[in-house]
Amino acid sequence: MSDTHASDTQWPRYMVLHQEREDKPHQHAGTVHASDAEMALLNARDVFVRRPDCVSLWVVRADLIFARTQEELALNPDWLDNIQATSDRTEAYYVFAKLTQKAQFSHIGEVEAENPPHALKMALQKYPKTQGLVWWVFPVKVVLKSTPDDIAAMFSPAATKDFRDQANFHALSVLRKLMRDQKQEAE
Amino acid sequence: MYGATVEPIEDIRTDEEKLAEFEGRIARGEKIEPGDWMPDEYRRQLIRMISQHAHSEVVGMLPEGAFITRAPNLRRKLILIAKVQDEAGHGQYLYHAAETLGATREEMLDALLSGKAKYSSIFNYPTLSWADMGAIGWLVDGAAILNQTMLAKCSYGPYARAMVRICAEENFHRRQGQDIVITLALGTPEQKAMMQDSINRWWWPTLMMFGPHDTDSPNSAVLIRWGIKTKTNDELRQTFVDQTAPELMALGLTIPDPDLYYDETNGHWHFGEINWDEFWNVVKGNGPCNAERMAARRQAHEDGLWVREAMVAYAEKHQS
């Protein structure tokens, strides 16, 4: 808006990854903007966890994610071969992939790598059977995660709000009965 | 540390080849994803639609928000708060979907606050009684769900996925609206009269929500060709009337349309002509509440400034 609103400059974008149940992988839920990772985690909770289907939430700055589509990789098959490790200073990277047209990005695993392109190369080698339409890699250490201690405050309250579930309203059965009764009366 | 030199990957196909491939993918029912090649017009139309949709969710909080303090009991109050929270969340899902096309959230917000952007004309009508919470939930959200169920199958992946999530939550909104309407319609004579008054005011603006007739809808052809829309405005409007009219009438409520009747020859409800002068007047900014809604949004943005400043100051302090 006006020049005096310096703080209105857009805040960084964070990718939100959420886990519905312990036995399911983290999946991409969407993005939030926030002044820092801590606020991003709180915003992510408000935007994406209004229904009781979350046990863990991660946020990572979108600009720290290295992404490649299958299409891009196919267009230039030499690109990966040209990536070589140059030192032995590696760190852990998370690997996410989008497996089908309909699916969200899903957590595939971890690799040790020197830099993001190298991490992608390592991921393709480590998970040869995974047909990723799009791949994401980002360092483990740049992710801010909710902890098991956060569950009670951040995720559990949604479970008591049963009125958010359409199944708890009986409008449809009331309407159907009313219409059935009226039809019978008319006949 | 992330400065690894990466050669950009070059795309050597011509625009004609890209367009043919793009249209082939849509014909096969594939989703177009961020980063995939797409015609500029496809991107432009999607940004226009998705951002308008996001603004509608955000402005849509205002008419109902006004009744949170006036809910008749604690359960209704909790439901209404939850619903308004959902609308805020839906706005966020949609701004995110538009961002994947290269629009920035700041640009979109500025367009809304400066009055440049459009949002659904329905929210420029006033909420006058508690019964309006029922009418909005059933009629307005019911109409929105028809549109959104269609968009959940659209060709752009992020928009389709946002819609799947939104539809699931909107069904709660419609059900709670039906619950209010049923309670009032089957209640005391005063309650029923209040409900009838509300239906009288919301019926026609709801039919306008589906937009101009197909013959007057300049964007429809290209939207359908590229799989963004799969049904026309008039088709969706007819489905809505077919579903809703008999249900309202079963509750003993009347619909403010003397030309409404069930046409046995085609199995559809015939309805009268919409007052398009009213529709365009509201779209152009002259509806009963346009100025009030915009003033409320701007005020909220101004009032939140100190919070945003405090958050930036906190983030900067912790960075150093």
Side-chain angles (χ1 to χ4, degrees):
Chain A
M1 306 295 295
S2 65
D3 290 336
T4 52
H5 292 192
S7 69
D8 283 0
T9 301
Q10 184 162 305
W11 289 336
R13 220 155 57 93
Y14 288 82
M15 291 289 184
V16 178
L17 306 159
H18 89 301
Q19 187 181 26
E20 289 187 1
R21 291 199 318 251
E22 300 279 354
D23 58 345
K24 284 187 162 186
H26 279 77
Q27 287 193 313
H28 181 218
T31 63
V32 291
H33 287 264
S35 48
D36 59 19
E38 202 181 333
M39 281 309 303
L41 196 60
L42 293 175
N43 288 349
R45 186 263 179 201
D46 290 345
V47 174
F48 297 105
V49 196
R50 293 188 308 280
R51 300 292 188 283
D53 56 358
C54 187
V55 292
S56 164
L57 209 54
W58 297 355
V59 289
V60 55
R61 264 181 74 144
D63 58 2
L64 299 182
I65 295 178
F66 181 80
R68 279 288 182 265
T69 64
Q70 195 178 47
E71 200 178 15
E72 285 173 320
L73 293 171
L75 276 170
N76 192 342
D78 299 338
W79 179 79
L80 274 173
D81 295 335
N82 295 334
I83 295 164
Q84 301 293 344
T86 53
S87 74
D88 51 6
R89 283 172 47 198
T90 61
E91 62 175 317
Y93 280 78
Y94 281 125
V95 178
F96 275 67
K98 190 174 159 56
L99 300 175
T100 69
Q101 292 283 352
K102 277 189 177 169
Q104 279 291 12
F105 284 86
S106 220
H107 184 197
I108 304 298
E110 282 87 44
V111 292
E112 284 286 327
E114 223 175 85
N115 55 49
H118 185 226
L120 177 58
K121 183 175 181 172
M122 300 302 286
L124 292 169
Q125 283 170 5
K126 186 171 176 183
Y127 306 106
K129 286 185 184 146
T130 305
Q131 293 288 319
L133 296 175
V134 191
W135 292 87
W136 279 354
V137 291
F138 48 93
V140 167
K141 72 174 183 209
V142 301
V143 181
L144 182 68
K145 304 171 178 178
S146 67
T147 67
D149 289 346
D150 294 326
I151 291 176
M154 287 180 78
F155 310 136
S156 298
T160 63
K161 296 174 183 169
D162 64 337
F163 50 80
R164 280 199 142 113
D165 183 353
Q166 58 155 324
N168 288 310
F169 294 91
H170 307 297
L172 212 56
S173 56
V174 173
L175 280 173
R176 282 193 186 133
K177 183 175 184 311
L178 207 61
M179 291 170 86
R180 208 167 46 233
D181 291 351
Q182 287 174 1
K183 203 177 163 193
Q184 274 172 2
E185 226 168 272
E187 286 163 0
Chain B
M1 118 190 201
Y2 306 110
T5 40
V6 182
E7 291 298 315
I9 291 173
E10 213 178 322
D11 193 337
I12 49 163
R13 298 168 300 172
T14 66
D15 278 359
E16 287 76 21
E17 285 169 344
K18 289 177 194 168
L19 181 63
E21 201 173 309
F22 169 84
E23 294 196 332
R25 289 181 62 187
I26 288 176
R28 289 192 297 275
E30 286 180 24
K31 299 285 181 214
I32 306 301
E33 295 293 336
D36 291 348
W37 186 88
M38 61 186 82
D40 289 344
E41 181 62 7
Y42 180 81
R43 187 185 301 275
R44 197 185 68 81
Q45 289 284 357
L46 275 170
I47 291 176
R48 179 187 67 83
M49 273 179 77
I50 302 174
S51 61
Q52 278 183 16
H53 197 160
H55 299 326
S56 301
E57 298 283 355
V58 170
V59 177
M61 289 191 278
L62 297 169
E64 290 172 296
F67 271 82
I68 288 174
T69 56
R70 289 179 266 177
N73 58 50
L74 182 58
R75 184 173 165 81
R76 294 283 188 204
K77 184 172 184 163
L78 286 170
I79 291 170
L80 192 57
I81 291 171
K83 181 176 189 289
V84 173
Q85 280 176 345
D86 278 351
E87 311 293 5
H90 296 175
Q92 298 298 322
Y93 303 162
L94 288 160
Y95 284 127
H96 158 65
E99 280 178 325
T100 65
L101 292 158
T104 71
R105 213 168 281 217
E106 193 167 42
E107 272 165 20
M108 293 186 273
L109 206 63
D110 281 353
L112 176 63
L113 295 176
S114 67
K116 211 168 72 188
K118 296 265 181 278
Y119 54 87
S120 180
S121 57
I122 194 79
F123 301 117
N124 289 318
Y125 289 86
T127 41
L128 303 180
S129 75
W130 174 254
D132 289 1
M133 302 306 105
I136 290 178
W138 189 344
L139 304 184
V140 175
D141 292 322
I145 287 170
L146 282 178
N147 196 36
Q148 289 162 353
T149 306
M150 170 190 75
L151 292 170
K153 299 184 195 101
C154 84
S155 59
Y156 188 59
Y159 196 20
R161 286 190 292 275
M163 281 303 132
V164 170
R165 198 183 271 266
I166 288 174
C167 283
E169 301 184 357
E170 286 286 345
N171 274 315
F172 144 57
H173 299 179
R174 177 169 55 166
R175 291 282 175 257
Q176 65 83 39
Q178 289 177 322
D179 202 59
I180 292 172
V181 176
I182 291 169
T183 305
L184 295 176
L186 304 180
T188 64
E190 289 83 0
Q191 286 176 320
K192 188 174 179 184
M194 184 167 80
M195 195 63 248
Q196 183 63 58
D197 168 65
S198 177
I199 298 293
N200 292 349
R201 286 181 288 108
W202 289 97
W203 177 259
W204 287 108
T206 303
L207 295 195
M208 294 176 199
M209 278 175 72
F210 294 98
H213 280 313
D214 300 342
T215 45
D216 304 321
S217 182
N219 294 316
S220 272
V222 70
L223 295 179
I224 286 174
R225 174 166 162 219
W226 283 334
I228 298 174
K229 289 177 79 165
T230 51
K231 288 177 180 150
T232 68
N233 296 350
D234 285 330
E235 282 171 345
L236 289 170
R237 186 162 24 233
Q238 184 66 55
T239 305
F240 175 81
V241 175
D242 288 346
Q243 271 180 8
T244 317
E247 292 177 341
L248 289 175
M249 288 158 78
L251 288 166
L253 296 166
T254 59
I255 289 164
D257 178 359
D259 297 327
L260 184 84
Y261 66 89
Y262 181 69
D263 186 346
E264 297 211 353
T265 60
N266 62 16
H268 290 297
W269 285 78
H270 174 272
F271 53 97
E273 193 50 68
I274 287 167
N275 181 347
W276 293 110
D277 290 341
E278 177 182 331
F279 172 76
W280 290 114
N281 196 38
V282 179
V283 169
K284 284 177 186 138
N286 306 318
C289 298
N290 293 59
E292 187 185 328
R293 301 293 183 233
M294 289 313 301
R297 281 315 313 158
R298 290 193 190 109
Q299 183 72 43
H301 194 69
E302 295 284 315
D303 290 350
L305 179 61
W306 71 271
V307 179
R308 297 193 294 279
E309 284 175 347
M311 285 161 73
V312 169
Y314 179 87
E316 279 169 358
K317 191 175 163 189
H318 281 253
Q319 246 170 24
S320 56

